[in-house]
Every structure is written in structure tokens, then in C-alpha cells.
Amino acid sequence: MGESAQTDRRPSPDALLREAEKAHRGRLKIFLGAAPGVGKTYEMLTAAQARRQEKTDVVIGVVETHGRTETEALTAGLETMPRRTIQYRDHTLTEMDLDAILVRRPELVLVDELAHTNAPESRHPKRYLDVEELLAAGIDVYTTLNIQHVESLNDVVARITRIRVRETVPDSVIERADDIELIDLTPDDLIQRLKEGKVYVPAQAERAVRHYFQPGNLTALRELALRRTAQRVDNQMVDYMRSHAIEGPWPAGERVLVCVQGGPKASATVRHAKRLADQLRAPWTAISVETLRASGSTGDSVVEALRLAQRLGGEPVLIPGQDVAGAVIDYARANNVTHLIVGKSDRAWWRQILLGSITQRLINRAGGINIHVIEVPAERADAASSPPEPQRAFEAKPYAIAALIVALAIPVGMVLHQWLGITNVALVFLTAILIGAVLHGLGPSLVACLLAMLAYNFFFLPPLYTFTISDPENVVALFFFAVVAVIASNLAARVRGQALSARLRARQTDDLYQFSRKLAAAVTLDDLLWATAHQIALMLKVRVVLLLPEGNTVAVRAGFPPEDMLEDADLAAAKWSWEKDHIAGRGSDTLPGGKWLFQPLRTGRGPLGVAGIIRDEAGPLLTPDQQRLLEALLDQAALAIERVNLARDLHLARLQVETDRLRSALLTSISHDLRTPLASILGSATSLRSQQAFLDGPTKEALLGTIIDESDRLNRFIGNLLDMTRLESGALKPRTSLNELSDVIGAALQRTAKILADHRVEVDLPANLPLVALDMVLFEQVLFNLLDNAAKHAPAGSLITISARNEDDTVELRIADEGEGIPEPDVARVFEKFYRAGGADRRRAGTGLGLAICRGFVESLGGTITAANRTDRRGAVFTITLPVPVNTFLPEEEITS
């Protein structure tokens, strides 16, 4: 019991999350008016002046004083941002300069008339979207709004005042407001202000009193404003209680579902659902069933209603199905819906008796679900302006095929009639009806039913070849044949529709699966982007471009068709979508007049790019179902792009680690192996300079010899570093010519004479050794490094052997010493940069670059070099294999001479 009580007293995670989200946003305060003229702007300016006295940085973004002296007086002392001018159809319009305010970045900005529609070519079509961007930037906003501009109350206000307000804001704006202050006046006081000219000019005021500002209207609007404000305050109280774990009575769980059907009722039912959900403080969903007959061609009114539901805070759902009522009830029961809203049927009473209606079927199947049937007025202001629903073109081919199948059943029936009797002939026609239903659905199957009944009567019921039936038993048989045929065709058509719907969903699922496999197999970013563009274009039947960041902007990286390019205006919209991580362009809330719709590709790390789509046909770009499919495709693509980016970042990180390791090894080598000869040179030179008068001849010679020897050693170290730099930068270009190995070996031995002074050197070269293509300078450096390495690791007095032999079209040159050999674990690594066998032994000087340079030089000459331990005795052997050019063997007589 104690643990349960503790659990109940924990703060609500959702409430805490909402508070955390608000921490980075500006605060929004709405001065909500019950009607125009109640003094919203005056109260907003009064509150702003009080904030200014508190040393708050306040600016006026836009304030409409309408020439009222007392209102204009309150703007004194407040900084006013200059408005932006827009030229439109020979008119100069002024709008709030959003960008200037973002640059100025005050603590508080005043934005009057939240429901205002911006001038064309503005960034956002509505002013409330400008406010959203200011809040996202962390700027506090004071704004004004009248109750008649709230979207969910639009129909109610129109019924009260007989005037439909066109400029509305979504209810979500009010839900996100941090503070709402209700500005109200009694109807008598407001009408008196109107007569005194404090709201409109006299002519307008007189007309307003006669129509809009009637006492009854104002009283009803006051009630709406009070109820909406109280509802918001109640929501704030509940959020506070949940976030602070305050115990209290919580409302029972309610869920609202609204059934969206085509026609002018769609938006009205959605708004009613929003109001009911607000009253119940319940989540709500708008559902539309896409039948097979309407598959892929959802009406504009349904699409617009589902988008309206999304704007109002509901969840739009589009599901496939043949029985609309059954699909809606199944969804309602599966999601624990308690209230179902549906519009009253428009069918005539006789059609409802014969065919029924969706509304009645929902009521019959509802069970424990509360059904709200709403009546929408026949004449609606927005119905006239709504575009007519697209009508599907009539296709005569399915009906002709159904008639042909029935016609083919007639001779079959005649043949069977001679042997099996009339009853079995009815089964022949029933088979034809089922075939028509399976092939083409309900309409052609019903036509087949009618034709089959007539053909059965005409050809097989006496009297033959007339539509007269003499036997009453045949009348009953024909009647039940028609009933069975209709029922069977309905069942067959429904099964066909379900099968086609399942096939469509299965194909879509398979497409998504294949797409995920393509993304998983894509190695390069270009392949991934092309696969994404092709898949989106294939599944949604649109043109696609994909843009990724390049510097401070975005650029097209892939598209389908590939030749699609963007104009500057479209590219600017894509950049805004990427920067703000928000949808922009055609059909959206931002730049809705654009040709393209841009949607960010995002993961948990933020936006990765932008996808743009366009369709040449008019009408809605995407249905809600297609929008969800697009989001699923883009989510998969974003994850794949992030995977490629992470793989690239990991590769770069590995390269950085390797670079750091090599840099560390180089610095370690320089700090020891290069400082040692410098110290010897410096010491010998200092002794010669300071002790010159006291040194005899042999001592001076010894010091000078040390300087020369250590200078040569330092020169070799520096030469190795420069050679490795040439190799890694690709600047090494060998200059080859045909040479004898003996000449190169002789030059290398002469150069290493001092290094090999304490060792015995034996050279074994065959007399008929062919000429090889060598760069004399590079190969001499290879031999020098190998002989220097042998001298370091072989004891004084030991033998160093240089031998060569000809093997088919190659020459092998071997340099063997009698040192300690190479430890087995180090044999495969001796040619790595900065690697020194027995790396812990620092007694031998060297940078660990000599053998790496040997391999680089030999490979640049087209040869190979390997290292191994000798098998005949202790020591190491290095083998160089060089290719022999064609016809380079010396003639026997030249060798003899």
C-alpha cells in the first residue's frame, strides 16, 4: 500500500517534460477579448509599460491603435521596430519585420492581432506563425486575440452572429500560451463605447450595432470567452498539480473519435469533436475509411478535414476497409473510444430504408460507445467556396465484360439443360455472377445479376423466349435466385475488395522492406541518396530532390528524375526548412505558395538534410496516409545517412588516431635519434673552439672526424624523413633507364665504405645478369639503407653478402648479414613506418624509416622487397625482386670480351 501511494504521488513525466520544453522557449501571454473594442491593445500596452518600469527590454513589433488617442499615448517610451514594406498589385503593404526583431532580440515584443493574415510573399502566411518563431528564439511575446478567431469556435460564432470570420488561429496556440488574460466589458458598456466612436468611425459603428454588436450576440460571445479561458486555466491547474505531485480527483479517461466523411460536413464534424474533447479534457482522433472504390483518390474535403484535425491537436487516421461502419467501430473498440461523433446522413428517407446509412449502422453497432449525431446546416458559407469533389470517370469495360460472361453462360446452360434440367442452369448463371464480382467488384456484379435473371427467365422458364412466367413456382424460384445472386455478388465483391486491399498493403510493406535492404546495402552516400529518391518517387508518384548541407546552405545531391533542379526561391525555402527543422513550402504553414514541399531529414542528432517533393497535378500534394508513408521513408533514409556519416566519422577518427600515433613516433625518434648527433657535433665543435690552443693534431683530427661522421648521420636521418614525405605525398616519380646491377652496387658500397669499415663485404653476381630498369638515385638509396641496417645489427667483423640471380623474367638481389636476425613476431612489420624490431632497444640509432623507404622506392620501380631470417645460419636476409625488360640479356660474346 505504501509503495503504491508513493507511486501515485510522483510527478507526472508528461507534465515535467512540458515544463522542460518551455524552459528554452519564450513566454506567451494572450490578451483574449470577448469581442472587438473591449480594450485588448490598451491592456497589453499597460502591461508592457509596467514591464518597462521593471527595466525589461520591451519593443513594439506591431501595434494597431486605430487612431485612439488614449491607446497611442501608451506607446510613448516604447521602442517601435520599423515595419517591412511589401509591393503587391500596385499596393504598398506593411508587415511586422520578423527578421529585424530576431536580430534586435529584445526580452519582450508586443504583437497585436494574432489572427492577422500576412501579405503575400511573407515568410509565414499567418502572424501567429511569426510569433511561434519568436518564441522558439527565446523571446517573450504579448499578443491580442478575439474569441471569434479561435478555430474550434468558428462555426459557433458564425451561428451566433450570422457572420463567418475568415482569419482564425489553431486552438493549439491557446493551449501553448503560458498566460491568458481575459479582457471583457458588459454589452451595455461596449455598445456605449461604440456610440462614442472609441471602436469604429461613426458610420461603421452604427452598422456594427445593428448587426454584430447586439446585446444577445455579445452575451453569447462573453460566455464563450469565459468558458474557453476557464478551460485553459483548469488545464494549467491540472498540469501544475501533476508536475508537483499534488493529490486530487482526476477525471475519468475519455477518448473521442470523429468519423470524417466527404462533403461540406467534414470540417464541421472535426470542429465539434475538438470542442467535445476540450470539454472532456480527452485525446481525440479523426478517422476516415478509404474503401476500395475510393482507394488512392481520397476527396479534397476529407483530406482538408484530416489536416484540420491535425492542426487542432487531434490525430488523423486513414485506414482501408470495405464496410465503413464496421471499420470505424472496430477501431473505436480497439482504442477504447468512449465518444463517437458522426454527421447526420444526407440520404433521402427512402434510400435510407432501402440502402441504410453509415450513421444508422454506427448507431446499431455502437454497443457501449456514446454516439453524437450532429446536424450541419444545409447552407454553409464555406460550402460554396469548397471545390467540388473529383468524380471518378465511368468505365464501361467492366460492365461489358460482366455482360459477356452472362452471355457465354447462356449456351452453356442450353447444353446442360438437355441433360441435367433447369435447376442446374441457375447454378451456371450464379457462377457467371460470382466471376464478374471477383473480377470487377460490386457494380458489374449487380449488372450481371440483373442480366442473368432476365436471361434465365427468357431462355429457360416457360413460356420460353418471353419474359412472362406462367408457373407461380418459377416466380418464387426466380425471386430467390435473384436474392441469392445479389447476396453472393456482394460477398464476392467484399472478399475481392479485402483481397485487393491486403495485396496493396502487402506490396507497400514489401516495398518498405526492399527499401530498407537497399539502404543497408548502400556503401556510398550517393548510392543511398539515389535509392531514397527513386523509392519515394516510385511509391508516391511524385518528383523528388534530396538536399544536404554544404557550408552555410544546402545543395541538391540527388533527385528523381535526375535532371530536376531548384530555382532560387525554392532553394531558399529548402534552406529555411533545414535551418528551422520544420516543414516548408506547398501546402504547409510556411511559404505555402511554393511549388515544392520540403521536409527535413532528421534523427536524434538533428536535421541531416531536406527532401523536396512536387506533383504536377493540381490539388492536395499528399493525403495524410501518404504523408505518414513519406515520413516513414524519410526516417529510414535519415538513419541510413547517419550510418554512412558515422562510418565516415569513424574512419576519420581512425586516421586521426593513426596520424597521432605516427606523429608521436616521429617526435620520439627526433627527440632521441636526431638530438644525439646534434649533441656530438655541438660538443666536438665547442671543444675545438675553446680548447684549440691546448689540443694536439690527432685530437683535433678525431674531433673533426666526429663532427663529419655525426653530420653524415644527421643528414641520413633528414634524408629519410624527406624521402618518406615524397612517398606519402605522391611526388615521387622514378626516372628509369637500363642499368647493370653491378654499377649500382658499386656506387652504394663506395657510399657506405665508412659505415662498413668494421665488416667484411662479399659480392656474388653472375656474369650473364640482364640489364634492369632502375632509377640509379633511388635504388642506390635502397641499397644504402639495407647495408646501413645490416651494419647496425651485425657484429663487427661479420660477413655481409650481396648476391643476385636471374629467375625467368625477374632478377633477385639478396643482402644477408650474420646478426641476431629478426624476431618472428616482427618479420611482417619491419617495413612499417617508425617500426623498429625489438622496439624497446634504443641502443641502436635510427628513425625506423629506412626499411619503409626501401619498400616505397622498390615498389615505385615495379619490384618487391621481403624480409626473412637466414636458414643456413643466424642472421637476416632481404630479397629484392625486379622485373627484367624484354631483350635485355647481354650477348655471350660481350660478356667474354
Side-chain angles (χ1 to χ4, degrees):
M1 179 68 69
E3 182 179 353
S4 177
Q6 290 294 332
T7 301
D8 293 340
R9 285 196 293 268
R10 289 183 302 178
S12 167
D14 293 336
L16 292 176
L17 182 60
R18 284 193 291 269
E19 288 190 1
E21 290 175 350
K22 289 182 179 179
H24 303 288
R25 289 172 53 89
R27 292 183 61 84
L28 174 63
K29 181 173 183 178
I30 298 178
F31 293 84
L32 183 64
V38 295
K40 304 180 302 298
T41 305
Y42 185 91
E43 292 296 332
M44 179 179 70
L45 289 170
T46 301
Q49 288 288 358
R51 291 289 301 274
R52 186 175 72 90
Q53 296 298 324
E54 298 171 359
K55 307 301 182 184
T56 302
D57 183 15
V58 184
V59 302
I60 294 177
V62 57
V63 166
E64 302 293 349
T65 63
H66 300 291
R68 300 164 189 160
T69 306
E70 63 274 16
T71 304
E72 291 180 351
L74 287 174
T75 62
L78 295 176
E79 178 185 352
T80 302
M81 299 297 296
R83 298 194 188 186
R84 182 170 59 94
T85 59
I86 299 175
Q87 296 295 329
Y88 180 70
R89 294 182 180 177
D90 299 328
H91 295 282
T92 300
L93 307 178
T94 61
E95 293 290 353
M96 181 179 69
D97 196 337
L98 177 61
D99 291 325
I101 296 174
L102 291 172
V103 173
R104 169 67 172 75
R105 202 171 183 82
E107 295 180 65
L108 173 63
V109 61
L110 309 183
V111 181
D112 206 1
E113 297 184 357
L114 184 62
H116 171 75
T117 299
N118 290 332
E121 301 181 4
S122 298
R123 182 186 305 171
H124 302 296
K126 294 284 190 176
R127 184 170 289 169
Y128 75 85
L129 295 171
D130 295 338
V131 169
E132 283 293 322
E133 190 164 344
L134 292 173
L135 294 172
I139 301 173
D140 294 346
V141 176
Y142 280 1
T143 188
T144 63
L145 180 69
N146 284 329
I147 192 64
Q148 69 263 27
H149 295 293
V150 179
E151 177 66 42
S152 65
L153 301 177
N154 188 260
D155 291 338
V156 178
V157 173
R159 291 183 185 181
I160 294 172
T161 63
R162 303 297 189 272
I163 297 174
R164 180 168 295 277
V165 177
R166 295 299 178 185
E167 293 183 325
T168 60
V169 299
D171 288 53
S172 57
V173 175
I174 296 180
E175 294 298 331
R176 288 196 296 269
D178 298 278
D179 299 294
I180 294 181
E181 183 173 336
L182 179 63
I183 311 300
D184 188 23
L185 282 177
T186 64
D188 292 340
D189 290 341
L190 182 55
I191 292 174
Q192 184 61 33
R193 281 174 54 86
L194 221 67
K195 293 178 178 179
E196 294 173 356
K198 295 182 178 181
V199 180
Y200 299 124
V201 296
Q204 290 179 329
E206 183 179 355
R207 186 168 58 252
V209 170
R210 287 199 310 267
H211 299 283
Y212 191 91
F213 288 83
Q214 297 179 10
N217 292 351
L218 296 178
T219 301
L221 292 176
R222 289 185 73 196
E223 182 179 358
L224 283 178
L226 288 169
R227 288 183 179 276
R228 192 64 184 85
T229 306
Q231 181 182 345
R232 176 62 186 132
V233 171
D234 182 65
N235 291 341
Q236 287 180 321
M237 180 193 67
V238 172
D239 288 341
Y240 178 82
M241 294 176 66
R242 290 179 176 175
S243 61
H244 292 79
I246 300 174
E247 293 183 355
W250 309 117
E254 302 278 2
R255 299 186 71 87
V256 177
L257 181 68
V258 54
C259 181
V260 176
Q261 304 177 61
K265 290 185 177 182
S267 297
T269 54
V270 167
R271 293 190 182 98
H272 185 89
K274 167 63 178 174
R275 294 194 295 271
L276 178 62
D278 287 344
Q279 294 171 9
L280 299 175
R281 293 198 295 272
W284 64 287
T285 303
I287 186 172
S288 177
V289 180
E290 187 178 35
T291 63
L292 181 66
R293 291 184 297 274
S295 180
S297 60
T298 304
D300 290 351
S301 61
V302 173
V303 173
E304 189 58 37
L306 292 177
R307 288 179 177 170
L308 175 62
Q310 191 170 24
R311 291 198 303 269
L312 295 178
E315 178 186 1
V317 173
L318 184 66
I319 61 174
Q322 290 304 301
D323 182 7
V324 176
V328 171
I329 292 297
D330 290 342
Y331 181 90
R333 289 174 178 165
N335 291 272
N336 197 29
V337 170
T338 56
H339 296 270
L340 176 59
I341 301 173
V342 63
K344 185 178 178 182
S345 177
D346 288 333
R347 285 183 174 178
W349 63 269
W350 60 270
R351 294 193 62 190
Q352 294 188 38
I353 294 176
L354 294 177
L355 303 176
S357 68
I358 294 176
T359 303
Q360 189 60 47
R361 287 197 291 270
L362 287 172
I363 295 173
N364 294 338
R365 302 184 187 184
I369 303 175
N370 298 312
I371 303 294
H372 300 253
V373 181
I374 67 170
E375 173 68 28
V376 179
E379 295 182 3
R380 286 174 47 94
D382 59 347
S385 60
S386 300
E389 298 287 350
Q391 299 295 327
R392 291 174 58 87
F394 175 77
E395 296 182 10
K397 183 177 179 181
Y399 295 90
I401 294 176
L404 178 62
I405 294 173
V406 174
L408 293 176
I410 294 173
V412 174
M414 287 182 173
V415 173
L416 295 178
H417 177 62
Q418 303 298 325
W419 303 93
L420 302 177
I422 296 177
T423 304
N424 292 322
V425 173
L427 297 179
V428 173
F429 284 104
L430 187 59
T431 303
I433 293 170
L434 293 177
I435 293 174
V438 170
L439 291 178
H440 298 293
L442 182 60
S445 70
L446 293 177
V447 172
C449 287
L450 177 62
L451 295 177
M453 185 178 67
L454 295 175
Y456 182 41
N457 180 15
F458 189 81
F459 290 102
F460 297 100
L461 294 181
L464 300 180
Y465 310 118
T466 67
F467 292 106
T468 304
I469 303 175
S470 59
D471 189 350
E473 181 180 348
N474 290 336
V475 175
V476 175
L478 184 63
F479 172 76
F480 282 103
F481 169 77
V483 172
V484 171
V486 171
I487 294 174
S489 64
N490 271 277
L491 292 176
R494 181 174 299 182
V495 171
R496 173 183 178 270
Q498 293 174 349
L500 290 177
S501 179
R503 188 183 307 167
L504 178 65
R505 297 292 169 176
R507 184 173 60 193
Q508 189 177 89
T509 302
D510 183 66
D511 289 340
L512 289 173
Y513 172 69
Q514 295 298 332
F515 178 54
S516 65
R517 294 189 62 183
K518 289 179 184 178
L519 296 183
V523 177
T524 65
L525 184 60
D526 290 338
D527 291 342
L528 190 153
L529 294 176
W530 189 91
T532 300
H534 179 264
Q535 192 71 28
I536 294 175
L538 180 67
M539 296 186 70
L540 297 179
K541 304 298 186 290
V542 293
R543 289 156 48 198
V544 185
V545 291
L546 297 176
L547 304 94
L548 294 185
E550 286 189 5
N552 295 326
T553 185
V554 289
V556 177
R557 292 290 303 274
F560 192 89
E563 63 272 9
D564 267 354
M565 298 299 293
L566 295 180
E567 299 177 357
D568 292 341
D570 297 325
L571 195 60
K575 181 182 177 183
W576 187 92
S577 176
W578 169 63
E579 290 177 344
K580 302 300 182 180
D581 192 17
H582 195 275
I583 297 177
R586 178 177 172 181
S588 68
D589 291 335
T590 303
L591 304 175
K595 296 183 294 184
W596 291 79
L597 172 66
F598 295 101
Q599 184 158 335
L601 290 156
R602 65 169 70 91
T603 64
R605 300 174 64 186
L608 303 177
V610 177
I613 62 173
I614 188 175
R615 181 180 281 129
D616 295 331
E617 296 84 359
L621 186 59
L622 296 175
T623 66
D625 198 34
Q626 291 175 328
Q627 179 66 34
R628 287 192 293 273
L629 177 59
L630 175 63
E631 291 173 357
L633 293 171
L634 294 183
D635 287 343
Q636 288 192 55
L639 291 175
I641 292 173
E642 186 173 46
R643 171 180 59 81
V644 172
N645 290 340
L646 288 175
R648 181 195 60 198
D649 294 343
L650 180 61
H651 177 66
L652 294 176
R654 287 175 177 172
L655 289 179
Q656 185 63 38
V657 170
E658 181 66 15
T659 301
D660 292 341
R661 187 186 69 81
L662 295 178
R663 185 184 295 112
S664 177
L666 176 61
L667 292 175
T668 301
S669 177
I670 290 176
S671 66
H672 182 276
D673 296 320
L674 298 186
R675 189 181 297 172
T676 299
L678 283 174
S680 300
I681 295 170
L682 184 60
S684 299
T686 302
S687 298
L688 281 175
R689 180 177 182 181
S690 61
Q691 303 294 330
Q692 184 175 8
F694 307 100
L695 299 176
D696 54 15
T699 303
K700 291 180 180 179
E701 287 295 329
L703 291 174
L704 289 173
T706 300
I707 293 174
I708 294 173
D709 292 341
E710 294 300 326
S711 297
D712 287 341
R713 178 181 165 190
L714 182 60
N715 184 59
R716 291 197 301 273
F717 288 160
I718 295 174
N720 283 340
L721 292 174
L722 294 177
D723 289 339
M724 183 54 62
T725 301
R726 292 168 62 200
L727 281 171
E728 292 186 337
S729 65
L732 183 66
K733 297 184 188 293
R735 298 179 181 179
T736 59
S737 60
L738 294 178
N739 295 280
E740 294 189 28
L741 277 179
S742 57
D743 294 340
V744 187
I745 293 172
L749 289 174
Q750 183 178 0
R751 184 178 169 190
T752 57
K754 188 176 293 186
I755 298 174
L756 301 174
D758 297 332
H759 296 78
R760 293 179 295 118
V761 178
E762 181 179 305
V763 179
D764 180 16
L765 300 177
N768 64 340
L769 204 62
L771 301 176
V772 290
L774 297 174
D775 184 317
M776 287 286 291
V777 176
L778 295 184
F779 199 71
E780 180 185 334
Q781 184 64 42
V782 171
L783 296 179
F784 178 87
N785 288 352
L786 291 176
L787 292 173
D788 180 47
N789 182 74
K792 290 177 184 177
H793 294 87
S798 61
L799 177 64
I800 298 175
T801 303
I802 304 174
S803 60
R805 62 176 182 176
N806 176 237
E807 290 285 345
D808 297 330
D809 55 351
T810 62
V811 172
E812 286 187 0
L813 178 65
R814 303 172 74 249
I815 299 177
D817 59 51
E818 295 180 342
E820 299 175 356
I822 306 172
E824 286 301 326
D826 299 332
V827 171
R829 302 187 59 189
V830 293
F831 293 106
E832 294 181 8
K833 290 180 292 184
F834 303 112
Y835 186 83
R836 297 168 65 182
D841 182 8
R842 304 295 303 174
R843 292 173 296 175
R844 299 185 180 95
T847 59
L849 290 175
L851 295 181
I853 292 171
C854 289
R855 182 176 64 177
F857 283 0
V858 170
E859 290 178 352
S860 69
L861 296 172
T864 60
I865 182 171
T866 59
N869 289 314
R870 297 180 65 168
T871 57
D872 55 342
R873 67 187 73 179
R874 190 174 67 172
V877 58
F878 291 87
T879 304
I880 301 174
T881 303
L882 296 171
V884 177
V886 181
N887 299 327
T888 58
F889 288 91
L890 292 175
E892 187 67 30
E893 59 273 15
E894 185 176 340
I895 297 173
T896 305
S897 63

